[in-house]
Amino acid sequence: MCVLTAWVASGCGASGRDSAANDRASVVSAADELATLTALPWDSVVERARGTTVIWRKWRGDPAINAFVDGWVAEQLRTRYDVRLEAVEGQGAELVNQLVLEREAGRGRGTASLLWINGETFAQLRAESLLAGPWAGVLPSAAYVDSASPIITRDFEQDPAGYESPWGSVQFALIHDTVRTPEPPRTFAELAAWIQAHPGRFTHDQGFTGVTFLKMLMYANGGGVDAFAGGFSEERYARGRTAVFEWLARVRPQLWRKGTTYPPDVAAMHRLFANNELDFSMSNNQHDVINKIRQGVLPPTARATLLRDGTIANAHYVGIPFNAPNPAGALVVAELLLSPQAQYQKLRPEVWADGTVLDVTRVPEPWRSRFASLAQDPRALSRDSLARYARPEVAPAYHERLQADWRAWVRGDTARRE
Amino acid sequence: MSRSLTTPAASRLPLLAAALVAAPVLVGAGYAILASLGLAGPGQAANGMLDASRWHFVLSSRSTWWSIGWSLQVAIISTALATLGAVVVAAAFSTSTRADRWARGVATLPLPVPHLVAAASALLVLGQSGLLARIGYALGLVQTPADMPPLVYDAPGVGLMLTLAWKEWTFLALVAIAVRGSIGDLYDETATGLGARTWTRWRLVTWPLLWRGLLPSVIAVFVFALGSYEAAVLLAPVQPAPLPVLTMERFADPALARRGDAYVLALLALGIAALAVGLHEWSRARWSRLHTDTTRGASS
Amino acid sequence: MESRPVVASAHRHDAWCIVVTTRLPAPHLLRPIALLALVLFSLGPMLLLVLQSFAFGWRWPTLWPDTLQLDAWRNVSSGTLGRGLFTSAGLAIATTCAAVLFALPIARGMATLPRPWSHIAAALVFLPVAAPPIALGAGLHVVALQLGVAGSWSGVWLAHCVPAVGYATLVLTGVLSTRDARDEEVARTLGASAVHRWRYVLLPQLRGALTEAAAVAFLVSWAQVALTLLVGGGAVRALPIEVLALVRAGQETEAAVGAVLLVLPAMLALSALRRGAARV
């Protein structure tokens, strides 16, 4: 039995290595196919994609986004390009693991043709050569991308280099209830004082949003975002880490549950906030609060607020994996997502209110006037204050290290460097 | 019997078939061993050499042992509670009256509820702002959610224990009812005829047969409670983290090289499960004959 | 069993039992109270979920939702929950068929094994059932990748079959090793063919156990989360996956709808099955 097991298990690895040569042919052909497509005129790409299916792995944790993608986007793809879209769950680490395993198995093409990625996921995928490209520049709508915005042209300080195409942008905001907290704190110093005056009413979550909050704290108390720009540096991180944990140590006894435990993710935080266990929630999307009010998750008196110390704004992108079964279809979907029509639809407050990555002064009519006249939800934060307090992301290593160190700090593990 | 007609080789065939059923687990274990040593998977070392550092790190890390200990504790307590509840149901509603039959049906009705749904409703009921707290508020016992003792995301893991206990109780109730039914009333009636009181009858007649018949299922339930991820991720605290949650965390570690940790933890969990499987089979083998004899004795 | 120890201990515990029975107030009320507690404890969480599925805006400290609406339910047929329901049903039925088909000959074979081997075989069969889903799923994922079925319906179906066959075999082994095999012997000596023996002797005897095994296999597949996620890679959207996504997204009402869809049909099917089996 052990012999059988070992043989099968080694067979998995061996077949990966031996047939890697053969399958490199099909692996190369996926990237090769993409390279060929990028050289073709756009109409040929559309023709190639006609009648095909594209599986897009994206985050499905927000029904507003799901409704937009499964509804409007899929409908447009069907009627305009005759492409069938299947948006399935997948993000972050599981994407990377899956692609690594697929490459190891060496079985030619995978299942997903398009991925929703940004930040550290992009860094890991690029480091492992799991993305095909470059291709983002061949999309017709790429000409309208706002190349002046550092948030879009740099993904966590990395150059997309055509391996991913932007499709939306969001900004972090705190959420509070105007009835319970009519005068929310506006800086981290005020927040610390507020926490100490209201014990047990504030916390952050364990997930991406919580670490983003800590990153903002690092910027604010570590000397500003410029102190951390320009790549990862151990000593700069050490200074930032000291600032973060100093602040946390000060407020920890007054955090929710005395800072011994934290909600697993943002949805749990929203539930706690709505049910009066917390006075603050947070979200990576400044418009999330309004979407959630519409869905009945948050009370109607909830509003978003920004910190004057600056909140993090970032863009999200789509990428094509190295073993995409349908690169032509993926290009078409990416183009639709980038098109002024989709960007406008997405920006509408009753749909998603996801920021556009296009330069709205350069897009063709009628979209230019439509963008200009798009009315915001009266409860939303003004574009001016959003722009004023926006801070870009820095190198992904800061995020990873902060997350690991925070977890170690909560668990009481001595931070080990392996 | 047909056994004398079969060749030794053919008589081993069912064993091979059973091995085939277990094969995926063994293959998985084999792959996990390779991955934990850096020879496969996301944590693969670039030079293809054996790397035992992940084993060293995980086994020497405090959070690993906290996690295993905590998960074991939660599983043991929830299994004990579930067993208690199941035994109470089987003993209290053991007659064949319509009310008792109906009660037995009700007790086993929530069997198809998955861990996920049980955990979601536990959040609704046991949270500091959940149904119990709101009933407390209506009764004036609780003013704000913070007055309610924390049962979810708490260090002792009470909410998780109650959820797992509730889920496993329906399964164990089903088994307990079946075992109680197969024990039959013959011994009970004999003991009553000899003048034994209710408690004595229970202690010396029913209970010894019941727990031996239940033991394999109790061990099985313990293993399920240990490996449940969905309930743990919704209800558990940050520290100590349940073993399945810790494993998934390591799978998602930003440093690819450290993802081998997840395979080490999975192998540790698999080891505990294999131990439980052995115990389960031993207890089944030890007492199934006793059980069969009693049923034959009761019916003859 | 010896009668003497029973009587002797009965005398010793007489006093305690008298205390217990006379101290309890109105013991005849105990039964209805116990019944009520049972119903509350057993069905309470489900009833709560049903209420939540109709709720819009139900927050602290109200004991009843602010508004009741049918919107979440109306979206079922058009949305992801309806599709998930079909996917799960298809997977579960296919798994049940395959599991029972495989489990029966395996269980029968295992019943003929001599003593030490039968226990080893039973332990092997139980292993995929007891293995933590994460460990099992990782192994199955690798196998599925090798076979080229990862991320597809067939891959997930195969993955579900693994624990399902294990469970079903255990259920059938339990019955097959304790049943009376003499009827089958008689049929064979009377010259009945294998087909006849199966049809007229074996299957009727095993009907209850087969129903039980089928029910267990169905449940294993129907409620499966980890294997569907790990082997399907998010591409196979079974109903529990949809419910998990909704719970993770904080969409209480839709998640409750999904939960009811997940549990109610299975509950009804199981009780019908049990009533049918009881009548046999």
Side-chain angles (χ1 to χ4, degrees), chain C residues 150-218:
Chain C
S152 74
W153 188 94
S154 17
V156 175
W157 169 59
L158 284 175
H160 283 193
C161 282
V162 170
V165 168
Y167 254 120
T169 311
L170 281 177
V171 169
L172 290 174
T173 313
V175 172
L176 280 169
S177 55
T178 57
R179 80 186 165 111
D180 207 340
R182 286 178 291 187
D183 288 341
E184 209 185 334
E185 266 303 289
V186 169
R188 188 186 290 120
T189 43
L190 285 176
S193 69
V195 174
H196 272 115
R197 283 206 311 272
W198 271 76
R199 216 177 130 198
Y200 295 112
V201 180
L202 197 61
L203 287 180
Q205 265 190 343
L206 291 177
R207 197 195 318 211
L210 279 175
T211 320
E212 199 75 41
V216 161
F218 184 88

Side-chain angles (χ1 to χ4, degrees), chain A residues 48-90:
Chain A
R48 286 266 202 111
R50 206 166 281 283
T52 60
T53 304
V54 173
I55 295 186
W56 177 17
R57 296 199 70 180
K58 58 177 272 292
W59 179 56
R60 285 190 68 88
D62 189 338
I65 309 177
N66 294 348
F68 169 67
V69 170
D70 296 339
W72 190 89
V73 173
E75 182 64 30
Q76 289 292 309
L77 283 171
R78 202 174 54 81
T79 50
R80 283 190 9 196
Y81 298 105
D82 192 20
V83 169
R84 201 170 74 96
L85 179 67
E86 268 207 48
V88 299
E89 173 71 54

Side-chain angles (χ1 to χ4, degrees), chain A residues 57 61 88 107 267 271 275 295, chain C residues 60 146 233-234 248-249 251-252:
Chain A
R57 296 199 70 180
V88 299
R107 293 250 171 240
R271 189 184 296 125
N275 282 310
Q295 291 158 7
Chain C
W60 169 275
Q146 285 299 315
R248 280 260 178 89
Q251 299 296 317
E252 309 271 10

Side-chain angles (χ1 to χ4, degrees), chain B residues 38-115:
Chain B
L39 297 171
Q44 212 162 18
N47 52 12
M49 295 226 313
L50 202 107
D51 171 24
S53 65
R54 301 331 309 164
W55 277 96
H56 181 253
F57 176 67
V58 170
L59 290 177
S60 61
S61 167
R62 252 183 8 157
S63 44
T64 309
W65 300 108
W66 266 102
S67 185
I68 293 180
W70 193 85
S71 286
L72 280 174
Q73 175 192 301
V74 165
I76 289 172
I77 296 181
S78 60
T79 308
L81 285 174
T83 312
L84 186 67
V87 163
V88 164
V89 164
F93 304 106
S94 55
T95 64
S96 51
T97 62
R98 197 138 70 111
D100 272 11
R101 262 186 290 133
W102 186 82
R104 291 202 293 272
V106 164
T108 55
L109 199 58
L111 200 60
V113 176
H115 279 110

Side-chain angles (χ1 to χ4, degrees), chain A residues 366-378:
Chain A
W367 303 110
R368 199 180 316 173
S369 39
R370 289 232 191 126
F371 272 114
S373 60
L374 182 59
Q376 266 196 305
D377 190 298

Side-chain angles (χ1 to χ4, degrees), chain B residues 9-284:
Chain B
S11 70
R12 291 286 181 269
L13 201 64
L15 187 64
L16 247 97
L20 194 69
V21 172
V25 181
L26 300 171
V27 167
Y31 184 81
I33 293 175
L34 290 177
S36 63
L37 292 172
L39 297 171
Q44 212 162 18
N47 52 12
M49 295 226 313
L50 202 107
D51 171 24
S53 65
R54 301 331 309 164
W55 277 96
H56 181 253
F57 176 67
V58 170
L59 290 177
S60 61
S61 167
R62 252 183 8 157
S63 44
T64 309
W65 300 108
W66 266 102
S67 185
I68 293 180
W70 193 85
S71 286
L72 280 174
Q73 175 192 301
V74 165
I76 289 172
I77 296 181
S78 60
T79 308
L81 285 174
T83 312
L84 186 67
V87 163
V88 164
V89 164
F93 304 106
S94 55
T95 64
S96 51
T97 62
R98 197 138 70 111
D100 272 11
R101 262 186 290 133
W102 186 82
R104 291 202 293 272
V106 164
T108 55
L109 199 58
L111 200 60
V113 176
H115 279 110
L116 165 66
V117 173
S121 45
L123 274 176
L124 288 177
V125 174
L126 299 173
Q128 278 182 306
S129 55
L131 193 65
L132 283 183
R134 295 183 202 186
I135 292 175
Y137 179 84
L139 295 174
L141 302 166
V142 164
Q143 306 307 323
T144 71
D147 293 337
M148 169 86 178
L151 294 174
V152 296
Y153 313 130
D154 59 323
V158 176
L160 183 58
M161 277 185 224
L162 289 175
T163 308
L164 290 173
W166 181 85
K167 173 79 181 69
E168 311 301 356
W169 164 63
T170 49
F171 174 69
L172 282 180
L174 184 67
V175 178
I177 288 168
V179 171
R180 180 73 183 80
S182 69
I183 289 173
D185 296 320
L186 181 66
Y187 286 118
D188 224 35
E189 284 160 13
T190 315
T192 319
L194 289 169
R197 294 283 179 175
T198 317
W199 176 245
T200 318
R201 272 205 330 267
W202 168 259
R203 203 171 64 90
L204 293 172
V205 178
T206 317
W207 174 240
L209 289 172
L210 190 60
W211 79 256
R212 285 173 174 84
L214 262 183
L215 191 58
S217 305
V218 169
I219 296 174
V221 151
F222 169 77
V223 176
F224 301 150
L226 204 58
S228 153
Y229 172 71
E230 313 104 55
V233 78
L234 287 177
L235 299 170
V238 175
Q239 165 69 357
L243 189 58
V245 171
L246 194 66
T247 314
M248 287 307 270
E249 239 180 62
R250 291 334 225 131
F251 258 126
D253 197 308
L256 282 179
R258 292 213 288 268
R259 289 190 187 171
D261 293 5
Y263 290 100
V264 176
L265 290 170
L267 283 170
L268 288 176
L270 197 58
I272 300 175
L275 212 69
V277 166
L279 266 173
H280 171 269
E281 193 48 37
W282 173 81
S283 65
R284 220 172 63 89

Side-chain angles (χ1 to χ4, degrees), chain A residues 206-288:
Chain A
Q206 299 178 38
F208 185 81
T209 314
V211 181
T212 308
F213 173 77
L214 294 178
K215 255 192 309 198
M216 282 165 33
L217 177 59
M218 187 177 76
Y219 292 176
N221 289 2
V225 64
D226 296 326
F228 299 97
F232 180 77
S233 131
E234 199 56 59
E235 53 169 281
R236 272 186 280 179
Y237 173 67
R239 277 205 302 272
R241 184 178 59 191
T242 320
V244 167
F245 287 105
E246 204 172 58
W247 189 92
L248 284 178
R250 212 169 7 121
V251 301
R252 189 177 195 183
Q254 284 86 34
L255 284 178
W256 180 74
R257 299 279 185 96
K258 304 206 175 49
T260 54
T261 191
Y262 297 80
D265 52 29
V266 172
M269 269 200 76
H270 287 339
R271 189 184 296 125
L272 294 174
F273 167 69
N275 282 310
N276 203 12
E277 286 190 54
L278 291 173
D279 281 333
F280 280 93
S281 186
M282 43 185 76
S283 174
N284 267 310
N285 181 350
Q286 78 281 4
H287 206 267
D288 203 23

Side-chain angles (χ1 to χ4, degrees), chain A residues 7-274:
Chain A
W7 175 75
V8 172
S10 65
C12 295
S15 68
R17 268 176 272 126
D18 286 347
S19 59
N22 304 339
D23 284 314
R24 209 173 286 128
S26 48
V27 166
V28 163
S29 67
D32 244 4
E33 191 182 333
L34 192 60
T36 331
L37 287 170
T38 50
L40 290 175
W42 182 248
D43 293 327
S44 318
V45 177
V46 171
E47 263 317 298
R48 286 266 202 111
R50 206 166 281 283
T52 60
T53 304
V54 173
I55 295 186
W56 177 17
R57 296 199 70 180
K58 58 177 272 292
W59 179 56
R60 285 190 68 88
D62 189 338
I65 309 177
N66 294 348
F68 169 67
V69 170
D70 296 339
W72 190 89
V73 173
E75 182 64 30
Q76 289 292 309
L77 283 171
R78 202 174 54 81
T79 50
R80 283 190 9 196
Y81 298 105
D82 192 20
V83 169
R84 201 170 74 96
L85 179 67
E86 268 207 48
V88 299
E89 173 71 54
Q91 50 153 347
E94 62 181 277
L95 281 181
V96 180
N97 282 346
Q98 172 102 357
L99 287 173
V100 167
L101 289 177
E102 283 177 7
R103 183 173 56 189
E104 198 173 45
R107 293 250 171 240
R109 303 299 180 96
T111 40
S113 298
L114 197 65
L115 310 169
W116 174 348
I117 53 180
N118 74 338
E120 45 175 342
T121 314
F122 177 63
Q124 282 163 13
L125 290 172
R126 283 286 273 150
E128 296 286 319
S129 308
L130 293 170
L131 284 178
W135 56 270
V138 309
L139 302 180
S141 299
Y144 307 126
V145 169
D146 187 358
S147 45
S149 162
I151 289 162
I152 296 163
T153 52
R154 283 288 178 275
D155 180 13
F156 279 61
E157 274 196 4
Q158 304 157 95
D159 182 5
Y163 279 84
E164 54 178 9
S165 168
W167 74 293
S169 69
V170 286
Q171 187 163 345
F172 183 102
L174 284 180
I175 300 173
H176 68 105
D177 188 339
T178 45
V179 169
R180 281 185 259 152
T181 323
E183 299 277 346
R186 299 304 304 273
T187 66
F188 276 103
E190 284 176 31
L191 183 59
W194 188 94
I195 293 173
Q196 281 164 337
H198 301 82
R201 306 295 297 176
F202 184 89
T203 190
H204 64 88
D205 67 290
Q206 299 178 38
F208 185 81
T209 314
V211 181
T212 308
F213 173 77
L214 294 178
K215 255 192 309 198
M216 282 165 33
L217 177 59
M218 187 177 76
Y219 292 176
N221 289 2
V225 64
D226 296 326
F228 299 97
F232 180 77
S233 131
E234 199 56 59
E235 53 169 281
R236 272 186 280 179
Y237 173 67
R239 277 205 302 272
R241 184 178 59 191
T242 320
V244 167
F245 287 105
E246 204 172 58
W247 189 92
L248 284 178
R250 212 169 7 121
V251 301
R252 189 177 195 183
Q254 284 86 34
L255 284 178
W256 180 74
R257 299 279 185 96
K258 304 206 175 49
T260 54
T261 191
Y262 297 80
D265 52 29
V266 172
M269 269 200 76
H270 287 339
R271 189 184 296 125
L272 294 174
F273 167 69

